[in-house]
C-alpha cells in the first residue's frame, strides 16, 4: 500500500529539492512584501468549532475531544474576519484540509493537505485587494527571477513578469465564452494572469459580499494563471452585517446552529473587509512549470491515495 522506496527516490530527487528551494523563496519574499505593506503574520488555526463550509466538499474532518467536536480547518476565513478586531492587516500561512473527491487525484492541482497564504484587510474593497494581489505576485515573481536563476534554468522555465493592472473578465463572460467548465480552457489561452470577477451567489460560499445593487452577484474574484495552470487565488469583499449573513447561510440550506459562534461575533460587530488566499503549492507549480501539484512539496497527499 505504501511504497517506501518510491517515496525515498522522490524525496532524494533533484526536482523536488529545486521546487522546495523555490517554495522557500516564495514564502520568504511574500512575507517580506506583506510586512513592508504593514501586515502582521498571525499563527494558523488548525482546529476550531467553525470552519469554511465549502459546499463542494461535504465531507468534514472532525476531531472529538473533551466531549466536543472541533472541525479541521478548510480555510481560516472566519478567523481572518474576527482577527481584524485586533489588527487591521493580517496574513497567515494556513494549512488547510479538504477531503476532495478521489476523482480529483488526476487534476494535477488538488491536494488534500495544502497551505494557503491567506490575508484580510479591514475596511478594504475588492479593488484594494485586487491591486494588492497584483503587487504581491509581481514582487514574488521578480524576486524568484532574480534570486533563483539556477533553479529556473533547471526547470527550463522562462518566467514572464506580468504588468499591472491584470486583465479581467466577469464570471458571466467566462461562462459565455467557454461554458460551465471554463477554467481549464480559459487558463490555457492566457499569456498573463487574469482576474475573474463577480461570481453568482450559488457558485460561492455565504461570506463573499453581494453587491448592494446587483441581486445575486458577489463582489469577489479569482485569479487565473496562464498556460493552463488554472486557479491561483480566491477572495473578495465580505458580508459583515449579521442579518445578511444569516440570510445567506439559510439560502445555502445550512443550519444556523452550526455557525452559532460566528453569528454571535457578527452580532457584536464585524468590520467591512476584503481579502484572499493564494495557494502556496499552486504558485510553486506555476513558477516551476510543473505538470503535477504533488511535485511541489514534501509529504504531498493526493485525494484517495495514502500519503505520508
Ligand atoms: N481564502 C479564501 C478567501 O479568503 C477562502 C477559501 O480558501 N475558501 O476568500
Amino acid at each position: 500500500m505504501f511504497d517506501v522506496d518510491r517515496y525515498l527516490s522522490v524525496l532524494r530527487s533533484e526536482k523536488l529539492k529545486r521546487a522546495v528551494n523555490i517554495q522557500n523563496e516564495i514564502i520568504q519574499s511574500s512575507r517580506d512584501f506583506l510586512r513592508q505593506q504593514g501586515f502582521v503574520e498571525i499563527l494558523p488555526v488548525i482546529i476550531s468549532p467553525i470552519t469554511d463550509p465549502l459546499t463542494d466538499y461535504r465531507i468534514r474532518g472532525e476531531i472529538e475531544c473533551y466531549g466536543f467536536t472541533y472541525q479541521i480547518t478548510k480555510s481560516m476565513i472566519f478567523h481572518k474576519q474576527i482577527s481584524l478586531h485586533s489588527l487591521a492587516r493580517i496574513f497567515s500561512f494556513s494549512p488547510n484540509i479538504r477531503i476532495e473527491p478521489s476523482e480529483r487525484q488526476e487534476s494535477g492541482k488538488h491536494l488534500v493537505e495544502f497551505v494557503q497564504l491567506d490575508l484580510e484587510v479591514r475596511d478594504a474593497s475588492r479593488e484594494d485587494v485586487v491591486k494588492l494581489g497584483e503587487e504581491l505576485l509581481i514582487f514574488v515573481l521578480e524576486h524568484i527571477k532574480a534570486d533563483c536563476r539556477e533553479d529556473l534554468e533547471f526547470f527550463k522555465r522562462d518566467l514572464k513578469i506580468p504588468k499591472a493592472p491584470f486583465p479581467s473578465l466577469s464570471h458571466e463572460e467566462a461562462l459565455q465564452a467557454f461554458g460551465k467548465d471554463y477554467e481549464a480552457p480559459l487558463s490555457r489561452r492566457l499569456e498573463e494572469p487574469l482576474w475573474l470577477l463577480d461570481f453568482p451567489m450559488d457558485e460561492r460560499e455565504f461570506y463573499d459580499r453581494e453587491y448592494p445593487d446587483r441581486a445575486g452577484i458577489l463582489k469577489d474574484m479569482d485569479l487565473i494563471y496562464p498556460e493552463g495552470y488554472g486557479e491561483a487565488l480566491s477572495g473578495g469583499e465580505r458580508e459583515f452585517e449579521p442579518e445578511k449573513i444569516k440570510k445567506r447561510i439559510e439560502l445555502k440550506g445550512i443550519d444556523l446552529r452550526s455557525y452559532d459562534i460566528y453569528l454571535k461575533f457578527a452580532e457584536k460587530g464585524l468590520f467591512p473587509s476584503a481579502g484572499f488566499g493564494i495557494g502556496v503549492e499552486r504558485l510553486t507549480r506555476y513558477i516551476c512549470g510543473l505538470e503535477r501539484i504533488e511535485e511541489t512539496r514534501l509529504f504531498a497527499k493526493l485525494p484517495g491515495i495514502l500519503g505520508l
Side-chain angles (χ1 to χ4, degrees):
M1 187 138 101
F2 193 90
D3 187 342
V4 175
D5 288 329
R6 205 184 141 262
Y7 216 91
L8 278 175
S9 80
V10 172
L11 276 181
R12 289 170 180 151
S13 70
E14 190 62 20
K15 198 174 178 185
L16 185 67
K17 267 183 238 170
R18 300 261 183 191
V20 171
N21 190 39
I22 286 191
Q23 192 162 82
N24 255 261
E25 297 300 327
I26 293 173
I27 293 168
Q28 184 66 36
S29 55
S30 46
R31 200 172 247 148
D32 288 348
F33 172 81
L34 290 172
R35 291 185 56 169
Q36 278 168 26
Q37 301 286 318
F39 281 79
V40 176
E41 181 169 4
I42 63 168
L43 295 175
V45 170
I46 313 277
I47 54 170
S48 169
I50 48 168
T51 194
D52 198 324
L54 285 173
T55 41
D56 263 16
Y57 324 104
R58 296 234 168 239
I59 312 165
R60 303 192 302 185
E62 290 179 350
I63 305 187
E64 296 286 335
C65 43
Y66 313 111
F68 44 78
T69 307
Y70 279 123
Q71 307 290 319
I72 304 173
T73 296
K74 291 191 217 168
S75 94
M76 269 177 61
I77 179 65
F78 305 123
H79 299 82
K80 290 199 299 175
Q81 281 184 290
I82 294 167
S83 301
L84 300 179
H85 280 285
S86 174
L87 299 151
R89 295 158 85 77
I90 54 107
F91 72 97
S92 194
F93 285 95
S94 167
N96 291 183
I97 302 291
R98 298 187 185 169
I99 307 169
E100 306 272 0
S102 299
E103 304 83 77
R104 293 193 176 169
Q105 194 176 99
E106 293 304 323
S107 72
K109 59 173 196 171
H110 287 100
L111 289 174
V112 177
E113 177 183 52
F114 69 96
V115 174
Q116 63 171 319
L117 168 52
D118 217 357
L119 61 83
E120 197 72 17
V121 185
R122 196 197 284 168
D123 295 321
S125 64
R126 179 185 63 191
E127 288 63 37
D128 294 332
V129 291
V130 155
K131 188 162 173 283
L132 181 81
E134 291 174 348
E135 288 168 1
L136 170 66
L137 187 65
I138 291 171
F139 186 95
V140 170
L141 294 177
E142 278 175 344
H143 177 83
I144 303 274
K145 199 161 177 160
D147 293 357
C148 301
R149 202 163 296 169
E150 272 185 33
D151 295 319
L152 291 174
E153 272 167 22
F154 173 85
F155 289 115
K156 301 190 173 46
R157 189 76 171 135
D158 177 20
L159 208 53
K160 298 201 175 54
I161 311 290
K163 287 206 171 44
F166 301 168
S168 68
L169 210 59
S170 72
H171 177 268
E172 181 61 32
E173 288 167 328
L175 267 189
Q176 274 170 18
F178 301 99
K180 199 174 148 293
D181 296 318
Y182 56 80
E183 187 184 307
L186 168 64
S187 175
R188 277 197 294 271
R189 280 239 194 140
L190 298 175
E191 281 172 22
E192 55 190 340
L194 169 134
W195 293 106
L196 262 186
L197 304 174
D198 303 342
F199 284 77
M201 212 146 82
D202 55 1
E203 291 273 323
R204 299 291 259 217
E205 309 312 321
F206 66 77
Y207 46 77
D208 282 355
R209 183 151 190 251
E210 190 179 15
Y211 276 90
D213 52 354
R214 292 175 71 191
I217 307 294
L218 307 176
K219 238 187 141 187
D220 58 2
M221 76 286 184
D222 272 3
L223 183 72
I224 308 293
Y225 287 127
E227 304 164 67
Y229 290 99
E231 183 195 318
L233 72 74
S234 213
E237 271 176 44
R238 315 301 182 187
E239 293 292 2
F240 59 95
E241 293 152 292
E243 286 316 310
K244 287 199 182 154
I245 297 176
K246 267 188 223 157
K247 196 184 107 200
R248 296 283 302 281
I249 294 178
E250 281 173 333
L251 275 172
K252 286 277 175 206
I254 299 173
D255 187 342
L256 282 179
R257 280 172 302 181
S258 12
Y259 285 98
D260 193 33
I261 299 179
Y262 174 60
L263 287 168
K264 284 194 180 127
F265 276 97
E267 269 149 25
K268 295 277 177 199
L270 290 170
F271 294 94
S273 70
F276 60 75
I278 178 162
V280 172
E281 292 88 343
R282 287 182 178 182
L283 179 53
T284 311
R285 177 179 174 230
Y286 169 62
I287 289 180
C288 300
L290 291 168
E291 185 71 23
R292 303 201 49 88
I293 193 88
E294 64 269 31
E295 298 173 316
T296 64
R297 64 168 288 166
L298 270 60
F299 314 118
K301 293 172 188 73
L302 285 170
I305 296 177
L306 181 67
L308 188 62

